[in-house]
Amino acid sequence: MSLTLERIEGLAPDQASLAAARKLLKPASWPTLAQGDGLIWGECQGSGATPYRVVVSEADAGYKCTCPSRKFPCKHTLALMWMRVDRSTAFASAAVPDWVKDWLSRRRGSSTPVKKAEGKDESKSRPSILLTEAPEAKAEADPKAEQRAAAARERNRLEREAAVIAGLDELDVWLADQMTHGVANFVAQAPQACRTIAQRLVDAKAPGLAGRLDAVPTRLFTLPGLARPSAALRELGQVHLISQAYRRRSELPELLAADARQAVGWSVTRDALLNDSAALRVAAKWRVFAVLSEAQPDRLRRVETWLWRESSADRMPAYAVLVDFVPISTGAAAGGYLVGDEIDAELNFYRSTVPLRAQISSLNRGAEQSLTPLALPLESLGASYADYEQALAQLPWLGTIPLTFRSACVRRHGEQIYIHDEQGGLSLPLDPSLATHALPLAGLDRVDGIGLWNGYEFTMAWAETPLGRWLRS
Amino acid sequence: MNLTELRAKVLPSLTTGTSRLALPADLIRPADPASDGVLALLSLVGQALRFERPSTPEAFSVEPEIRDERKIIADALRRPLVRLLGAKSATEHPARALARIFDRMRLRPHPFDLPLIDAFVRCNAEKLGPTAQHWADRQKPQDTTRSYFDPEALDDSNWTQVALRRRIAYLEQRRRDDADGARALVESNWAKEDAEARFRLLEVFETRLSLADQSFLSSLEKDRAPRVRATTAKFLARLGAGGENPALRACLERIKQGKSGLLRKRVALELELPTNVKDQAASRWVRQTFADVSLAELAGAFKITERELTEAAGKDEPLLLALALMATTERRLDLLELAVEQLPNAWEKMAESGLDTLGTMTESERQRWTETIAHPYGKGLPAVYSLWDWLHRITDAAAPFAVMSVLLKANFFAKLHEHERSGGPWFEVMAAICPPPQRQELREQIVQFDPSQTVGPLLLLDILDRMERDLAHV
């Protein structure tokens, strides 16, 4: 079982929620408490006539409660987890009820352990929409209707392709205009200029490029004034590269063409990825080394869970990122995993020349907090940066990527803090939002760790130091 | 073409605009006639810039070497501590209690937690050790900060290097043991002290003030800091060397002297308040009026002893309050007891007066002071949050065992009205002032109340207990 008191404490949104959960630990408040298939669920008698239904996946601490609380997890969820960890209350073994099945089928991320070794049919063991389909519906499928649907899908695809190309043409004109007036001028009016073209690209069904352009002003204004024109050139240059790569993707290697499609905004659904037999799959022990959360303009919160591979797997990616989107209105600011969690899982990577984003296809063991140091390679920051440059050469619009470091040090220069590799003569500026948090590291002789480099600033995530472990969050 | 060439030939045009500064014609090889090749150059420059490594500063700041001999608190305590101090609804009481215990146990927070408990560190840096002091001072100009040194034992050679609070405590002890030696120490370093330090060091002369201090005090009459000049004048007046004390004259103008008693005539004194000073403002006026007058001066003015002053005040509440305040300032707890006998609500009156410091009283003196002002209430300790809040702020010490016993035996919390209990963070202040042997009893009493109000106080009690068990590691 991966639930622990520390984990519950880490998930709790505040101290008051824990205190409120504590009051619900009495079995009398729970007419139903049951377990089965790696899940626990219960019904908690609230102030209303209908009890709240709560379900928790033990493997990854995924949860759902029917109460109207705006805290996530709510006190009912915390109480259910707490009782499970306490073992003071018995959970009856039972068949998974329909409302739990319904929740499972709608979950975006797979959490139920799927063990191929047990010879189970994957489509049956993995919760997915397919499970909710009635078998007789397949039997009654109308081939003509399917043909019509396929034709409609193809028509839509072609229409979208045409719209995207038209959008890219408009983008070229816009970029040329910016160059005519100069990036110095662009920087001054970046918010309005980017918003206009981003809206046009959304209309042209190229949301990936639109999002990238929407983010440009924020990126520029986090930098010092003198660095902005150069950063604007980098950003606009990348946009043009993507646009060109998309138009000429038939000439590109398959993986780079897939990168171009994704960068423009063609998404690959989770099901499509999991059913893609050619997708890169890596089964290993992974460690969560960073969880980043960012509110997006589209009222969604992007939650990135960064994983480091702990077990050996030759020539396979050493890291991965799981990306979840949750509505800002729900108030949830974190995914199901905490920094330090270790999971044993198989990941399916989205097709890319630099495989990074992935989905969990099967989970052999749920998340457990581990105190052991991160199994980092012995290379210095300089060597890690050279790997980044190689990756950049392969994927010119590469975004954020993990960099590891050994025997580095944190140094100050005025207000700016750097991670510095004495041997390699390399200094990366730290994300200014970490300036205060990382300050106690300044002056320590030797720091090993990992962080995220986005081409402008380094977000240190995890460091092993003579004073113990330092974590960003 | 390499990056240098791109920088020199292309960057200026793209930055200022190709309409103002055209690109060199030889560089443009349009792949698409519509784009004039400008966008291809944009991508090329953009990508070349991405391969530029970030520049390394020529020199980094040199971090000061901090010798911190304190132990870091145990890892198990770090998260609870951060959680407690970060709680939005927390009052200042848990922080005060924690700072006290950090100081007493000679522990320090983990350096990585300093940013997370920044407000706590800033308020209590002196009690948290040199690393925390350096953290709190990090934005001050370097020439205004002292060296960060906090040795276990202080002596005459190193006492100037530590935090002001420890220096005061050291000097206080030296005044008790050897008043002349202590004065010599202060004199030797006086010119290097800032205004705050000069004022607080001078206050220590309250202990064993004698004519031997007169020449040093006279040299301070023209000090730049008004507070130092005022304190100097007060001390000199007390020694009878500073001429007439204007504050004493103002007091005497308000005190009416008479005689009482049939068989033995005794001096009877009555303080007349100005007509525009009423109700709560009266206590504040008394404190301000008598702030620069000593008991000896006042007794001398009426040709009676200090002990007889209380008797002479009779039942005159304002004058008794003035005497209680003066006894507190001069650490004359024997005289305070006499005044409080006549003024059973001295606690409320002193709180009302705005008294905000017990000066250089030691911890045991502070506890005795608390016991003295709480004594008249017997088993009916006041159920007014603001009084306990003031008491903890002014004493900055645990409550005396006897006071806490009364409180626990009286089942104090159960008797509080519902609105009182939920309105004020009672449990936090009680947990903060609870002496170690009584924590378990307090825990048992408060655990039965609403967890949303008790979770913080219970956590505080746990942390205090565990810190005292010294689970720390180096």
Side-chain angles (χ1 to χ4, degrees), chain A residues 50-314:
Chain A
T50 318
Y52 299 127
R53 288 174 160 175
V54 196
V55 55
V56 172
S57 159
E58 289 191 273
D60 62 356
Y63 56 85
K64 167 72 184 167
C65 178
T66 57
C67 78
S69 169
R70 294 179 71 85
K71 288 186 177 178
F72 298 91
C74 65
K75 61 181 179 180
H76 310 103
T77 310
L78 292 170
L80 186 69
M81 292 178 178
W82 200 332
M83 284 191 290
R84 183 62 167 172
V85 173
D86 258 2
R87 294 190 176 274
S88 55
T89 314
F91 283 73
S93 294
V96 178
D98 286 347
W99 61 271
V100 175
K101 279 183 189 163
D102 183 48
W103 171 69
L104 274 178
S105 67
R106 285 186 285 108
R107 281 194 83 190
R108 292 193 58 184
S110 167
S111 59
T112 311
V114 179
K115 291 181 181 161
K116 287 181 191 162
E118 289 171 15
K120 287 184 184 172
D121 183 342
E122 196 179 331
S123 62
K124 280 183 186 169
S125 53
R126 188 176 61 241
S128 81
I129 294 169
L130 294 176
L131 277 180
T132 59
E133 287 178 6
E136 56 273 19
K138 276 187 180 172
E140 289 171 8
D142 177 1
K144 283 185 181 172
E146 274 188 9
Q147 271 183 355
R148 278 198 302 275
R153 278 198 297 273
E154 181 60 14
R155 197 170 52 247
N156 288 341
R157 190 186 66 77
L158 290 173
E159 278 175 12
R160 184 175 175 188
E161 289 281 11
V164 169
I165 295 295
L168 295 184
D169 289 343
E170 259 193 279
L171 175 66
D172 279 353
V173 174
W174 180 83
L175 283 171
D177 279 352
Q178 305 313 316
M179 292 307 104
T180 305
H181 298 111
V183 282
N185 181 63
F186 166 74
V187 167
Q189 46 182 304
Q192 306 92 308
C194 288
R195 191 79 276 272
T196 308
I197 188 65
Q199 280 170 345
R200 284 190 208 160
L201 285 168
V202 168
D203 293 342
K205 299 185 173 61
L209 274 178
R212 193 176 273 266
L213 278 159
D214 247 346
V216 169
T218 314
R219 158 63 50 220
L220 296 183
F221 292 119
T222 57
L223 298 170
L226 285 176
R228 288 176 192 167
S230 153
L233 281 175
R234 290 166 66 166
E235 295 296 328
L236 298 183
Q238 279 182 75
V239 167
H240 182 62
L241 259 181
I242 294 169
S243 153
Q244 286 298 307
Y246 184 80
R247 285 193 178 99
R248 297 162 63 180
R249 60 188 185 282
S250 58
E251 302 165 35
L252 298 177
E254 187 196 345
L255 291 178
L256 192 55
D259 277 318
R261 264 177 78 83
Q262 283 176 41
V264 164
W266 289 86
S267 57
V268 178
T269 64
R270 178 183 151 74
D271 280 344
L273 175 68
L274 295 182
N275 292 326
D276 181 358
S277 56
L280 178 64
R281 289 163 190 261
V282 184
K285 281 183 183 165
W286 303 87
R287 191 83 170 273
V288 178
F289 70 87
V291 178
L292 308 183
S293 159
E294 189 184 28
Q296 299 190 146
D298 54 6
R299 293 170 174 260
L300 287 176
R301 186 177 290 281
R302 180 186 169 95
V303 180
E304 294 179 359
T305 305
W306 288 86
L307 306 172
W308 178 256
R309 180 164 53 74
E310 293 251 276
S311 54
S312 60
D314 276 351

Side-chain angles (χ1 to χ4, degrees), chain B residues 274-384:
Chain B
T275 47
N276 59 346
V277 174
K278 286 178 183 157
D279 304 327
Q280 293 191 345
S283 302
R284 201 166 280 275
W285 179 86
V286 168
R287 183 180 61 80
Q288 286 164 353
T289 308
F290 286 81
D292 295 329
V293 178
S294 72
L295 284 164
E297 278 178 295
L298 194 62
F302 296 108
K303 297 187 175 56
I304 53 177
T305 65
E306 292 165 352
R307 295 184 76 84
E308 284 168 342
L309 262 180
T310 316
E311 200 182 330
K315 298 284 180 196
D316 188 73
E317 207 175 79
L319 189 54
L320 284 168
L321 173 62
L323 296 178
L325 289 168
M326 284 191 283
T328 297
T329 309
E330 295 177 31
R331 294 160 44 195
R332 293 290 304 273
L333 298 183
D334 55 330
L335 296 179
L336 178 68
E337 276 171 26
L338 291 176
V340 170
E341 269 176 28
Q342 307 295 323
L343 185 69
N345 61 346
W347 185 348
E348 288 152 75
K349 288 289 167 190
M350 282 203 274
E352 213 174 77
S353 75
L355 180 69
D356 58 0
T357 173
L358 293 185
T360 54
M361 273 192 205
T362 61
E363 190 168 345
S364 61
E365 283 175 331
R366 283 161 195 259
Q367 292 201 325
R368 200 178 137 208
W369 180 86
T370 305
E371 234 167 5
T372 305
I373 62 165
H375 184 257
Y377 293 86
K379 290 179 183 173
L381 287 171
V384 181

